[in-house]
Amino acid sequence: RVVAEAAERERHHTCAHTHTHAHTHRERGSMAGAIKYTVVVPAYKESGNLEPLITQVFDALRAAGGMDTATELIVVDDNSRDGSEEIVEELAGRGLPCRILVRTDERGLSSAVMRGFDEAQGDALLCMDADLQHPPAKVAELLQALRDGAEFVIGTRYGEGTSISEDWPVHRRVISATARMMARPLTPLSDPMTGFFGIQKAKYKGAKNVNSIGFKICMELYVKAGIRNHREVPFLFGVRNEGESKLTGAVIVHYLLHLKDLYMFRYPVAFPAVVAVGVLFALYLLWCFLSLLF
């Protein structure tokens, strides 16, 4: 009898444990299904910015009608080893739906954004910098544009209702203006250089031959995903508070090479002809110059 009672108690304990375990999995599944939006933050040596960024993003989403409960935030870190991992895990422990992916075998902003998008649970994907130059208060507005049917959305530093901090260096303004002018035949975006942009997951998944090398993933995805409609959200572009700028001479060279590839993708027939004419014109000028000398 004692053995029978013990066996019965064990059976009830096993059934209760199985029920609780199944219930836990159902809860996790329902939470995953509730995620509609994913914010991806590529980062390297940004530990000083992550806590204010993440808390401000979720505060702003909470104020925008409770969007925080339908949003996850993914930090993609290129093995900074500066405490970023511990900061994000501590915030997650406080109940914020954020996580960090630490990459040890790959580097680069564009590939970091794509890794985050690939890991995303939401159908509306948003990228923003970790340095707080992209205002967390605007995140909800960009996500709402995607929710309302836009295939693509950008936060723009240019156009009506926008401004750039007076502390932003003049040479950076000149470089930005020149880069935008060079990209104009490829895209109608007022700010194709921005790192503050969003895309529908379906359009992202349908992008062809995406180049993950370089910094200008916004323009890359706009061109390669075949975007037909987009929205623009103006914002005040601030100055970096922590960390260092990523603009270098190598980045500028990569951008020029990137433009060349995008022109060949968008205009596969016309671009080689234009290049050929340019080469012939340069040779003609060289011939004229040499004829003057000799």
Side-chain angles (χ1 to χ4, degrees):
R1 179 181 176 182
V2 172
V3 173
E5 290 177 350
E8 182 67 14
R9 284 196 301 270
E10 179 65 21
R11 187 179 69 82
H12 279 293
H13 174 74
T14 301
C15 290
H17 176 73
T18 302
H19 174 74
T20 302
H21 187 65
H23 179 65
T24 300
H25 276 279
R26 282 197 298 271
E27 282 189 335
R28 289 177 180 172
S30 65
M31 288 176 64
I35 296 296
K36 299 177 181 178
Y37 316 107
T38 297
V39 178
V40 171
V41 181
Y44 181 68
K45 301 291 186 183
E46 296 284 4
S47 60
N49 291 317
L50 289 178
E51 181 171 2
L53 171 73
I54 294 172
T55 54
Q56 288 178 38
V57 164
F58 283 107
D59 285 345
L61 290 170
R62 190 176 303 112
M67 292 178 66
D68 58 308
T69 60
T71 304
E72 64 170 348
L73 186 146
I74 303 174
V75 176
V76 183
D77 180 82
D78 282 356
N79 203 25
S80 297
R81 298 183 180 180
D82 63 346
S84 293
E85 191 171 359
E86 291 77 10
I87 290 170
V88 175
E89 289 174 351
E90 192 272 333
L91 292 171
R94 284 160 43 183
L96 294 178
C98 59
R99 53 193 168 109
I100 184 167
L101 304 175
V102 179
R103 306 192 304 169
T104 59
D105 57 351
E106 194 174 9
R107 292 285 179 90
L109 187 143
S110 292
S111 61
V113 174
M114 293 179 65
R115 172 67 186 279
F117 283 179
D118 289 339
E119 294 279 341
Q121 297 179 36
D123 289 327
L125 312 177
L126 180 72
C127 172
M128 68 185 304
D129 289 348
D131 56 15
L132 292 170
Q133 290 183 308
H134 299 152
K138 289 290 185 177
V139 168
E141 194 171 348
L142 269 71
L143 290 175
Q144 286 168 348
L146 294 173
R147 183 187 65 188
D148 293 342
E151 295 177 341
F152 202 87
V153 61
I154 66 168
T156 178
R157 299 165 288 181
Y158 307 101
E160 186 176 353
T162 62
S163 61
I164 299 177
S165 172
E166 295 179 356
D167 295 327
W168 209 42
V170 173
H171 74 279
R172 292 291 302 274
R173 297 170 187 256
V174 173
I175 291 172
S176 180
T178 303
R180 295 196 326 273
M181 179 184 67
M182 295 173 68
R184 177 56 62 185
L186 290 168
T187 167
L189 301 176
S190 66
D191 192 2
M193 322 300 299
T194 186
F196 195 20
F197 72 94
I199 185 172
Q200 298 282 1
K201 179 185 280 187
K203 298 299 292 185
Y204 168 70
K205 293 293 187 182
K208 300 178 180 178
N209 303 318
V210 178
N211 181 2
S212 63
I213 299 175
F215 278 68
K216 303 310 172 187
I217 188 64
C218 171
M219 183 167 59
E220 175 79 10
L221 287 176
Y222 183 92
V223 173
K224 299 289 183 69
I227 301 300
R228 296 182 179 276
N229 73 81
H230 78 280
R231 288 268 309 278
E232 301 195 356
V233 176
F235 73 96
L236 169 64
F237 186 64
V239 295
R240 170 182 284 273
N241 295 318
E242 299 280 347
E244 299 179 355
S245 173
K246 298 176 179 63
L247 180 65
T248 63
V251 170
I252 294 175
V253 172
H254 277 301
Y255 175 70
L256 294 175
L257 295 174
H258 191 186
L259 275 182
K260 182 263 295 180
D261 290 341
L262 288 178
Y263 272 106
M264 292 188 69
F265 179 86
R266 177 60 67 85
Y267 308 109
V269 176
F271 184 73
V274 171
V275 171
V277 170
V279 170
L280 290 174
F281 182 67
L283 291 174
Y284 171 73
L285 291 178
L286 178 62
W287 179 80
C288 290
F289 177 72
L290 292 176
S291 65
L292 290 175
L293 292 178
F294 302 102

